[in-house]
């Protein structure tokens, strides 16, 4: 079987380990960086010589263009271009999650953060609140704001940034990260992206058996968004999980068994039917 990984980081531990497992099993593995060169991404592949499956780890516009081209010619792409693109838009994520009954903070979208400078838009949920770039990308905006003055200062620095304003979820200071590969759930704990861990703690608490509601929420997220490889960031609100971020094909580091699960996913047959969300 021929497996192609679309990525600019072939040495990533998850990808390298999964690739080694596939090669040892007698499969052919190649890597392709969609952002190499200046030619159209569609020129990077020959439609009559496609791989059996493409693992879409890159999320750039060129990577999505290539993925759509491959899908149009009958190739299997994991995750799909549509699902990957959806998970880069936090406004659309909130809309789809709300329609599916997933527990997420209340979210409001602004075309530009500068709108708060003119008094046209004010937070509905009060303070503190989270301000995030609408479009998820490297070095995007993710900030906690505790009052109007902080919001104005942030708007002055990022005036033209499309953003979402989200209700702040009081939490323990730790993000529970659930990574899912073809229905197999792996868990980790990381410091929340804003603020320090509680009491200056230097090490994350151990991840023990997850409550069923947490695992169910993670698996339901994949069904709703049409994802096979993804991450869900959860916060604990009075014992119940709240989804604060969803990532298509994140950089999964640490969990044992994740490379083997990814290798098995590459070899399995595609699941039937379209994603549950409306594109």
């Amino acid at each position: 079987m021929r497996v192609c990984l679309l990525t600019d980081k072939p040495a990533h531990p998850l990808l390298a380990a999964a690739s080694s497992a596939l090669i040892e099993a007698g499969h052919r593995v190649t890597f392709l960086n969609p952002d190499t060169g200046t030619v159209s991404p569609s020129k990077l592949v020959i439609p009559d010589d496609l791989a059996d499956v493409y693992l879409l780890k890159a999320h750039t516009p060129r990577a999505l263009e290539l993925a759509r081209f491959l899908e149009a010619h009958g190739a299997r792409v994991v995750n799909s271009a549509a699902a990957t693109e959806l998970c880069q838009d936090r406004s659309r994520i909130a809309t789809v999650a709300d329609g599916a009954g997933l527990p997420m903070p209340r979210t409001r979208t602004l075309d530009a953060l500068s709108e708060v400078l003119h008094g046209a838009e004010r937070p509905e949920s009060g303070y503190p609140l989270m301000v995030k770039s609408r479009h998820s990308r490297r070095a995007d905006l993710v900030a906690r704001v505790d009052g109007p003055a902080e919001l104005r200062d942030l708007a002055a620095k990022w005036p033209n940034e499309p953003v979402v304003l989200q209700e702040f979820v009081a939490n323990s200071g730790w993000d529970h990260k659930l990574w899912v590969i073809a229905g197999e759930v792996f868990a980790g704990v990381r410091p929340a992206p804003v603020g320090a861990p509680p009491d200056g703690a230097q090490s994350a608490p151990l991840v023990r058996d997850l409550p069923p509601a947490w695992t169910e929420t993670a698996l339901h997220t994949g069904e709703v968004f049409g994802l096979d490889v993804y991450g869900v960031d959860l916060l604990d609100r009075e014992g119940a999980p709240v989804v604060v971020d969803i990532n298509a094909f994140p950089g999964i580091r640490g969990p044992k068994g994740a490379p083997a699960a990814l290798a098995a996913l590459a070899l399995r047959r595609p699941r039937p039917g379209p994603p549950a969300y409306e594109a």
Side-chain angles (χ1 to χ4, degrees):
M1 187 169 180
R2 296 172 58 193
V3 179
C4 180
L5 288 90
L6 304 179
T7 180
D8 64 342
K9 296 181 178 179
H12 186 285
L14 173 67
L15 303 183
S19 299
S20 295
L22 288 167
I23 292 170
E24 289 175 5
H27 302 285
R28 178 183 173 189
V29 178
T30 58
F31 292 87
L32 176 60
N33 183 356
D35 294 300
T36 298
T38 59
V39 301
S40 170
S42 63
K43 303 296 184 183
L44 299 175
V45 295
I46 302 173
D48 293 334
D49 188 32
L50 298 178
D52 295 291
V53 61
Y54 292 84
L55 302 182
L56 179 58
K57 182 67 177 73
H59 300 159
T60 63
R62 284 174 58 87
L64 292 173
E65 181 184 344
L66 175 57
R68 285 189 289 267
F69 174 84
L70 292 167
E71 290 170 340
H73 286 81
R76 177 185 169 217
V77 180
V78 179
N79 299 293
S80 71
T84 301
E85 186 173 37
L86 170 59
C87 289
Q88 291 179 291
D89 187 332
R90 291 187 171 107
S91 180
R92 290 184 63 202
I93 286 175
T95 299
V96 172
D98 182 64
L102 284 171
M104 285 197 76
R106 287 175 291 173
T107 302
R108 188 176 184 185
T109 303
L110 301 183
D111 291 333
L113 186 50
S114 61
E115 293 176 21
V116 301
L117 294 174
H118 309 296
E121 298 289 348
R122 297 185 183 278
E124 296 177 342
S125 59
Y127 296 95
L129 61 85
M130 294 298 298
V131 180
K132 302 178 182 179
S133 295
R134 172 173 178 171
H135 303 290
S136 176
R137 62 192 189 278
R138 292 175 184 172
D140 60 357
L141 170 62
V142 178
R144 170 177 166 168
V145 172
D146 290 319
E150 286 187 22
L151 184 59
R152 288 193 296 269
D153 289 344
L154 195 64
K157 296 176 182 177
W158 297 73
N160 300 316
E161 183 74 4
V163 298
V164 295
L165 307 182
Q166 280 189 342
E167 166 195 13
F168 177 77
V169 179
N171 61 84
S172 65
W174 299 102
D175 265 355
H176 288 75
K177 290 187 173 290
L178 273 62
W179 299 289
V180 183
I181 303 176
E184 188 171 353
V185 180
F186 304 89
V189 180
R190 301 288 188 274
V194 292
D199 303 322
Q202 298 299 312
S203 59
L206 294 176
V207 178
R208 303 190 184 277
D209 293 338
L210 291 170
W214 292 59
T215 301
E216 291 166 6
T217 297
L219 294 175
H220 184 42
T221 298
E223 295 170 355
V224 169
F225 286 86
L227 296 165
D228 286 302
V229 185
Y230 60 98
V232 182
D233 290 2
L234 298 174
L235 293 177
D236 186 340
R237 178 160 59 186
E238 299 179 353
V242 179
V243 178
V244 293
D245 209 357
I246 301 169
N247 299 288
F249 218 132
I252 305 171
R253 295 175 183 267
K256 294 181 179 179
L262 182 60
L265 171 61
L267 300 178
R268 82 172 191 179
R269 293 187 178 186
R271 60 184 180 184
Y277 66 83
E278 300 221 357

